[in-house]
Amino acid sequence: MKLIITGGAGFIGSNFIYYELKQHPEDEFICLDKLTYAGNLSSLKDAMQQPNFKFVKGDIADRDFVYSLFEGEKPDVVVNFAAESHVDRSILEPELFLKTNVIGTGVLMDACRKYGIKRYHQVSTDEVYGDLPLDRPDLFFTETTPLHTSSPYSASKASADLLVLAYHRTYGLPVTISRCSNNYGPYHFPEKLIPLMIINALHDKALPVYGDGANVRDWLYVEDHCSAIDLIIRHGRDGEVYNVGGHNEKSNLVVVKIILKALGKSEDLITFVKDRPGHDRRYAIDQTKIHNELGWLPQTKFEDGIAKTIEWYLDNKDWWQEIISGEYQNYYKKMYGNKF
Ligand code: NAD
Ligand code: TYD
């Protein structure tokens, strides 16, 4: 089988490529990535050594480019990770999110229609459901929870999901969608909560916690997300949405304290800053459907996953030092000001 994996130079995409190369050495993999600020070829260094892996630089929203790639490669499966993925950036600059996340998804699906495909898989997010109240721990997102987005990022992802389902109903395109909770693990770009806090703590810099730090996320180790997508693309039912989550809810403050403790740093580094506009309070996934239909369950406990993640950042300083020394500095100053 030949798979095109878009956004494979990003966090989850690169982890997915390594997962697939290990689990399915008989398959062929093409990574299509624009290499935006979030894409990193160094994350794919080891994959580049494999004869059944190829990297192609390009934009999923560039129709001519995407069509010529599909015409030449004739993929069986497309897994679309490519996206602008950071909520804070979507608040600063929403338009790019529409272009990549919505138009780009449409272009990929048109290419699938034109050249034929066994499966198009859209990697989506639990953020399409909006948020849950903090005082109702009995509530979870199911696949039938209405879409109710808060940020330009989540609105663009929900729009893409609707387009994917419309292509299934109208054109019969064989699609699946996964809606996953927050991931953590190796190759996570340092603008996101967990890597940002690890790196700031290592530098004894302030840890900027939004609002009161009580917002809750359902954290899933990235490899568990990869195993879920692998099952869905190979055994999931056409036209179906699958929620993926860890049943591992933690407030941001708790996560930050766990990181500080693991690194032997003082909680005095925690600094409460102005809240994110429209900040979702709680995400929590009901993963009954994927468990019942495909037998999926997360394998990594948070204590183990966070320990492995911290170790990875300690062992791979070159990877993140290169990132934070470049354009990232401008973004950081714009977001957090000069005092951090
Ligand atoms: P990321 O920002 O780390 O990586 C995105 C990748 O897409 C980068 O390599 C970037 O270069 C590439 N890209 C961006 N625009 C492109 C374009 N126009 N054409 C081709 N490539 C382009 O993101 P991530 O955290 O790995 O997330 C991957 C996917 O998973 C996204 O669709 C995101 O919405 C979804 N998701 C993420 C999480 C999470 O916790 N990170 C949770 C659920 C779902
Ligand atoms: P993030 O990693 O941006 O993921 P998402 O917004 O998609 O869930 O943020 C996770 C949580 O951490 C979210 O509630 C916002 C919060 N947060 C901070 O408190 N400080 C920060 O500097 C960042 C980046 C996030």
Side-chain angles (χ1 to χ4, degrees):
M1 210 159 70
K2 193 187 264 193
L3 294 89
I4 289 187
I5 296 165
T6 69
F11 164 45
I12 308 174
S14 54
N15 278 282
F16 182 72
I17 286 168
Y18 287 118
Y19 183 87
E20 290 291 292
L21 283 168
K22 200 164 152 203
Q23 300 294 326
H24 303 284
E26 71 286 2
D27 286 342
E28 227 182 299
F29 303 97
I30 298 159
C31 170
L32 155 59
D33 198 294
K34 188 179 172 186
L35 296 180
T36 67
Y37 79 91
N40 226 310
L41 265 191
S42 68
S43 306
L44 294 173
K45 207 170 54 210
D46 294 339
M48 298 285 195
Q49 310 300 320
Q50 304 302 317
N52 56 339
F53 176 81
K54 185 160 93 181
F55 179 82
V56 181
K57 186 174 178 202
D59 185 342
I60 58 164
D62 178 344
R63 194 170 288 273
D64 292 342
F65 163 76
V66 170
Y67 282 11
S68 74
L69 180 70
F70 275 61
E71 186 161 10
E73 297 290 352
K74 308 244 172 344
D76 301 294
V77 173
V78 173
V79 186
N80 182 24
F81 290 93
E84 288 295 332
S85 70
H86 193 35
V87 172
D88 292 323
R89 288 188 192 249
S90 82
I91 295 167
L92 295 172
E93 200 187 338
E95 194 178 342
L96 188 54
F97 285 68
L98 302 186
K99 176 124 193 275
T100 291
N101 300 3
V102 186
I103 306 287
T105 297
V107 169
L108 284 175
M109 286 192 302
D110 283 339
C112 291
R113 283 175 60 211
K114 192 168 158 72
Y115 297 102
I117 198 89
K118 291 199 183 98
R119 171 60 58 80
Y120 172 87
H121 182 75
Q122 177 73 1
V123 181
S124 187
T125 163
D126 60 356
E127 301 193 26
V128 299
Y129 300 122
D131 64 354
L132 296 164
L134 288 178
D135 59 357
R136 289 291 307 274
D138 54 315
L139 295 181
F140 296 90
F141 298 134
T142 71
E143 290 80 1
T144 54
T145 299
L147 304 188
H148 188 76
T149 55
S150 312
S151 69
Y153 163 68
S154 56
S156 69
K157 293 295 289 183
S159 308
D161 282 13
L162 292 174
L163 199 60
V164 171
L165 294 174
Y167 271 56
H168 173 67
R169 173 141 180 185
T170 303
Y171 306 114
L173 197 71
V175 306
T176 41
I177 297 178
S178 51
R179 293 185 180 143
C180 190
S181 58
N182 286 63
N183 286 209
Y184 67 100
Y187 302 113
H188 204 178
F189 194 84
E191 69 190 349
K192 304 281 171 62
L193 179 79
I194 287 183
L196 185 127
M197 297 301 168
I198 295 172
I199 291 170
N200 277 20
L202 285 173
H203 289 108
D204 294 306
K205 278 173 76 175
L207 307 192
V209 173
Y210 298 162
D212 56 7
N215 303 62
V216 168
R217 298 293 183 263
D218 177 0
W219 292 99
L220 183 72
Y221 192 61
V222 63
E223 200 174 43
D224 283 323
H225 187 188
C226 296
S227 70
I229 295 172
D230 181 61
L231 279 174
I232 296 168
I233 60 176
R234 291 165 197 275
H235 306 290
R237 286 184 294 136
D238 281 352
E240 292 294 318
V241 174
Y242 295 90
N243 280 356
V244 182
H247 271 308
N248 176 49
E249 291 177 49
K250 295 209 176 335
S251 74
N252 295 336
L253 203 51
V254 164
V255 170
V256 169
K257 286 182 179 174
I258 290 172
I259 293 170
L260 286 170
K261 188 158 179 228
L263 291 171
K265 301 286 181 176
S266 163
E267 288 187 8
D268 293 344
L269 289 174
I270 294 174
T271 308
F272 292 98
V273 299
K274 195 164 157 285
D275 209 355
R276 170 190 282 172
H279 197 175
D280 283 335
R281 296 298 286 178
R282 171 177 169 249
Y283 302 143
I285 284 275
D286 178 343
Q287 27 116 311
T288 308
K289 179 174 174 181
I290 187 168
H291 176 59
N292 287 349
E293 279 193 24
L294 302 175
W296 180 87
L297 275 180
Q299 299 298 315
T300 307
K301 289 207 274 301
F302 189 73
E303 307 87 87
D304 301 333
I306 197 73
K308 277 200 272 186
T309 303
I310 292 173
E311 200 180 309
W312 188 89
Y313 280 86
L314 289 171
D315 290 347
N316 290 276
K317 287 190 176 142
D318 288 353
W319 182 86
W320 54 263
Q321 271 165 349
E322 199 178 312
I323 292 170
I324 64 169
S325 65
E327 174 58 26
Y328 182 73
Q329 286 298 330
N330 297 335
Y331 164 77
Y332 199 86
K333 281 204 185 82
K334 202 162 162 185
M335 264 307 292
Y336 301 99
N338 283 323
K339 63 185 166 113
F340 288 101

